[in-house]
């Protein structure tokens, strides 16, 4: 398993199917936050964080229990963010993190921009939360768990699902299932 930082994602030459342990800053965003990001882009307004080289994790973290920095933070199904994602990749986003397949437009944006789509294991929200060192609201606090949070993670376990060269773990799995 490769141990890499968010800042190294673009240069790491990762391939679909490769497990990684990611450290650094992640921004969370789900449906409601993506709608607001898209509205800002359409209005020519700045985003609340710089997408260049950043990674967005599709999660809505639960409230932190006593003594913890965050509650359970498992991945959300990524397909719900597909209408908004190509524009973010085109602004320099390095990676998105979630679960499930992506549509053709997102796959094209990943390849066009040499970016990545990383998958976290669904049902492992407590394990993933244990890898979060800090959590603070970065934007849209009125959205509650769907606000944008800035997370500092350490050795966050992920799998490269779609790489910048067009490798796609989901396509490979589909080919295998028809054999």
């Amino acid at each position: 398993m490769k141990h890499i930082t968010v800042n190294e994602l673009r240069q790491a030459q990762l391939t679909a199917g490769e497990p990684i342990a990611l450290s650094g800053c992640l921004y969370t965003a789900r449906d409601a936050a993506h709608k607001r990001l898209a509205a800002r882009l359409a209005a020519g307004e700045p985003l609340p964080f710089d997408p260049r080289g950043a990674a967005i994790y599709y999660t809505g973290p639960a409230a932190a229990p006593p003594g913890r920095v965050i509650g359970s933070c498992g991945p959300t199904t990524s397909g719900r963010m597909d209408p908004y994602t190509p524009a973010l990749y085109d602004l320099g986003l390095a990676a998105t993190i979630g679960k499930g397949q992506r549509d053709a437009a997102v796959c094209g944006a990943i390849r066009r921009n040499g970016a990545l789509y990383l998958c976290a294991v669904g049902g492992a929200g407590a394990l993933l939360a244990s890898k979060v060192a800090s959590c603070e609201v970065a934007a849209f606090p009125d959205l509650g768990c769907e606000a944008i949070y800035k997370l500092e993670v350490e050795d966050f376990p992920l799998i490269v699902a779609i790489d910048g060269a067009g490798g796609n773990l989901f396509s490979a799995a589909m080919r295998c299932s028809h054999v």
Side-chain angles (χ1 to χ4, degrees), residues 65-82:
R68 304 294 302 259
V69 297
I70 194 170
S72 181
C73 61
T76 297
T77 302
S78 302
R80 295 198 319 264
M81 275 54 77
D82 283 357

Side-chain angles (χ1 to χ4, degrees), residues 27-103:
Y27 291 95
T28 70
R30 286 180 36 143
D31 312 54
H34 274 79
K35 288 177 186 174
R36 290 194 185 175
L37 294 173
R40 283 188 172 201
L41 289 175
E45 297 173 359
L47 296 180
F49 65 92
D50 186 353
R52 293 174 294 177
I56 295 177
Y57 178 32
Y58 303 140
T59 189
R68 304 294 302 259
V69 297
I70 194 170
S72 181
C73 61
T76 297
T77 302
S78 302
R80 295 198 319 264
M81 275 54 77
D82 283 357
Y84 313 106
T85 304
L88 294 169
Y89 277 122
D90 289 342
L91 289 173
L93 191 68
T96 57
I97 303 166
K99 66 179 181 180
Q101 298 185 54
R102 305 311 298 265
D103 70 16

Side-chain angles (χ1 to χ4, degrees), residues 57-158:
Y57 178 32
Y58 303 140
T59 189
R68 304 294 302 259
V69 297
I70 194 170
S72 181
C73 61
T76 297
T77 302
S78 302
R80 295 198 319 264
M81 275 54 77
D82 283 357
Y84 313 106
T85 304
L88 294 169
Y89 277 122
D90 289 342
L91 289 173
L93 191 68
T96 57
I97 303 166
K99 66 179 181 180
Q101 298 185 54
R102 305 311 298 265
D103 70 16
V106 172
C107 292
I110 291 168
R111 188 171 202 174
R112 179 171 64 247
N113 293 289
L116 297 164
Y117 170 51
L118 309 169
C119 282
V121 176
L127 167 69
L128 296 169
S130 74
K131 303 297 183 178
V132 178
S134 69
C135 173
E136 64 184 60
V137 175
F140 316 135
D142 60 301
L143 294 178
C145 72
E146 288 209 30
I148 294 177
Y149 290 86
K150 180 180 178 181
L151 307 180
E152 289 294 329
V153 300
E154 190 170 316
D155 293 332
F156 203 73
L158 301 166

